[in-house]
Amino acid sequence: MKRPMLANNPVLILGGTAEAAALAGRLTAQGLKVITSLAGRTRDPAPLPGETRIGGFGGVEGLASYLRDNQIVVLVDATHPFAAQMSANAPAAAEKSGTPRLCLERPAWRRQADDNWIDVGDEAAATAVLPAGARAFLALGSQHLAPFAKRDNVHFVLRMVDEPRAAPALASHEIVPGLPGDIESETALLRGRRITHLVCRNSGGDASYAKIVAARDLGIPVIMIRRPAEPVPPVAQTVEEAVAFIESVLSA
Ligand code: NAP
């Protein structure tokens, strides 16, 4: 059953991405009430425009109840493209509660003519395609490293913002401190560490694309982990498209 769509009712953004933060900024600047939901994985998240709530909802039922109880006018799933569970829960809960929903997801990177990509479905498959003797740069969060522990004939180079509390369970590895850089610094890193393979997820966006360009320029194969699922339509690829969708819902 549809509920009346009132412009002073809140928009709920399922967040955890730069796009979610940008959307919250755009909507609050227009005077809309915004609640951003975070899973609670980050210890000290940066403050966001509007209200913030933290923690899971308790599956589809929990999210549907939240949407109803808080009279959410539009639900925007702006979670990371690899947050598959939440992106499956969002359309189901929206349907149950009769809440308009949009998925805001940045486009995936596309293979260019001179890219040498090996397309794989997950980290386990990425592990399996690395040849013995490879020096692999794993551009992955520490929670995604476990499958690579199987390989004791590959040297792994990891980039981490902070030194991990416990050493990664990888037989042969080194840690490079820092964040993704520009094409020049990514090229220097791949060359300097004698990387033979880059392993990364197809996150899309500009923030970490320089390493893909560097690998292309150096002729290094990229083991590209594809996204877990296609987003459920309607989908906006940019914050501007999401704002337009919300405006259309509010003016309907
Ligand atoms: P996930 O596997 O899709 O979700 C697992 C569970 O975490 C969900 O069922 C939900 O619990 C809860 N959850 C996820 N996102 C939530 C949110 N925005 N607000 C409230 N609860 C949320 O998600 P994930 O891959 O662990 O990602 C968690 C968060 O980190 C997301 O917000 C995502 O945008 C952000 N993030 C993820 C990645 C990534 O690589 N996956 C990268 C950068 C940022 P209930 O079922 O109890 O509601």
Side-chain angles (χ1 to χ4, degrees):
M1 194 184 71
K2 294 258 179 216
R3 287 169 292 107
M5 294 170 191
L6 303 172
N8 57 354
N9 283 3
V11 172
L12 177 65
I13 302 174
L14 304 175
T17 58
E19 288 81 2
L23 180 63
R26 286 285 299 271
L27 298 178
T28 51
Q30 292 185 19
L32 293 175
K33 206 169 159 194
V34 174
I35 304 171
T36 299
S37 174
L38 300 175
R41 310 273 193 270
T42 307
R43 238 174 287 151
D44 196 10
L48 291 163
E51 219 179 282
T52 304
R53 70 163 295 287
I54 296 181
F57 296 92
V60 173
E61 286 302 333
L63 178 56
S65 302
Y66 184 94
L67 294 171
R68 272 191 229 102
D69 296 348
N70 293 277
Q71 298 200 307
I72 299 300
V73 68
V74 185
L75 169 65
V76 182
D77 170 16
T79 56
H80 189 270
F82 280 79
Q85 185 60 58
M86 199 66 217
S87 291
N89 291 358
E95 191 166 331
K96 259 183 189 291
S97 60
T99 309
R101 177 206 56 93
L102 176 72
C103 179
L104 168 57
E105 187 169 295
R106 64 181 98 130
W109 296 318
R110 298 215 165 209
R111 188 195 300 257
Q112 308 285 306
D114 43 357
D115 276 326
N116 177 6
W117 287 8
I118 301 160
D119 185 40
V120 296
D122 56 20
E123 285 80 6
T127 306
V129 298
L130 281 168
R135 291 178 58 85
F137 178 41
L138 301 185
L140 301 169
S142 54
Q143 68 276 36
H144 304 293
L145 302 179
F148 298 93
K150 286 197 187 102
R151 298 298 304 270
D152 56 7
N153 56 0
V154 172
H155 180 73
F156 295 104
V157 177
L158 316 171
R159 174 164 50 205
M160 296 192 168
V161 182
D162 304 309
E163 277 287 320
R165 280 197 208 118
L170 300 170
S172 173
H173 73 271
E174 64 196 272
I175 295 175
V176 181
L179 287 163
D182 58 15
I183 296 171
E184 203 178 316
S185 61
E186 299 293 58
T187 304
L189 172 75
L190 297 180
R191 201 181 258 148
R193 307 271 167 169
R194 294 178 288 116
I195 299 300
T196 61
H197 294 75
L198 165 63
V199 182
C200 66
R201 304 194 300 169
N202 195 333
S203 300
D206 298 334
S208 61
Y209 189 62
K211 63 178 182 280
I212 309 293
V213 179
R216 179 189 305 146
D217 292 348
L218 294 170
I220 293 173
V222 178
I223 300 172
M224 183 65 80
I225 301 169
R226 76 182 82 95
R227 294 180 173 187
E230 285 290 316
V232 177
V235 180
Q237 294 195 328
T238 63
V239 169
E240 286 66 35
E241 287 173 24
V243 170
F245 177 92
I246 292 159
E247 282 170 351
S248 75
V249 169
L250 293 176
S251 61

